[in-house]
Amino acid sequence: MSYPQPLTPEEKPPEEKPTEEKPPEEKPAGTELGEAELAEAKRRLRLPPIVVICGSTRFMTEMAEADLRETSAGRIVVKPAVDMESPHGLRSDPGEADALKARLGDLHRAKIRLADEVLVVGAHVGDSTRAEITYARSLGKPVRFTHPEADPGARPPAL
């Protein structure tokens, strides 16, 4: 088994040259990077493309298969990790379960913002997944489907 090794000189991001221009503006705490700044940071870090998997948690097995295929293709994969339909102590109290679901939704939207593209898994697109697709497209993220016919934005074939 190989373990992470220190960066080689070729892998290290290039050093920035100091300039005499005005220093970059300080951003207030909690301010998010803009898309261009995030893309530049990923480029400087030489990160492979990041894909976020979206879809109903009823397709967790298919998500695991998609994760394997995307990772094998050299992409970083982020995906839902909690199946809200399966019994678990974290979801035994309905009030806590609702709060957890809201936090997970926020976290998944953050994954979408981080990702370079979205892969929607499964033959069915429900309301939550449809909202994720709409959100991703509003950010200009490419959206792929394991089942293209499930794309809510696809036009029906011409007659």
Side-chain angles (χ1 to χ4, degrees), residues 89-111:
L90 286 174
R91 299 179 291 281
S92 59
D93 176 87
E96 290 178 25
D98 288 343
L100 175 61
K101 187 170 184 172
R103 285 193 310 275
L104 293 174
D106 291 343
L107 184 59
H108 198 67
R109 283 184 294 280
K111 291 175 184 179

Side-chain angles (χ1 to χ4, degrees), residues 7-68:
L7 293 177
T8 66
E10 295 80 30
E11 294 173 321
K12 289 184 181 177
E15 295 290 324
E16 286 196 24
K17 296 175 185 165
T19 64
E20 296 299 319
E21 297 176 26
K22 64 179 184 173
E25 287 183 30
E26 289 289 321
K27 295 189 181 202
T31 302
E32 296 179 25
L33 285 176
E35 285 293 318
E37 292 167 302
L38 179 58
E40 176 60 16
K42 289 178 187 178
R43 185 195 65 75
R44 291 191 68 231
L45 291 169
R46 296 190 178 106
L47 294 178
I50 300 172
V51 62
V52 61
I53 294 177
C54 295
S56 170
T57 55
R58 75 175 81 165
F59 299 117
M60 291 299 266
T61 301
E62 291 87 345
M63 287 182 188
E65 177 66 23
D67 186 346
L68 175 67

Side-chain angles (χ1 to χ4, degrees), residues 131-153:
E132 292 168 354
I133 294 165
T134 300
Y135 181 64
R137 286 180 169 156
S138 77
L139 297 172
K141 306 285 182 178
V143 180
R144 294 186 286 131
F145 291 80
T146 59
H147 295 76
E149 67 278 7
D151 182 353

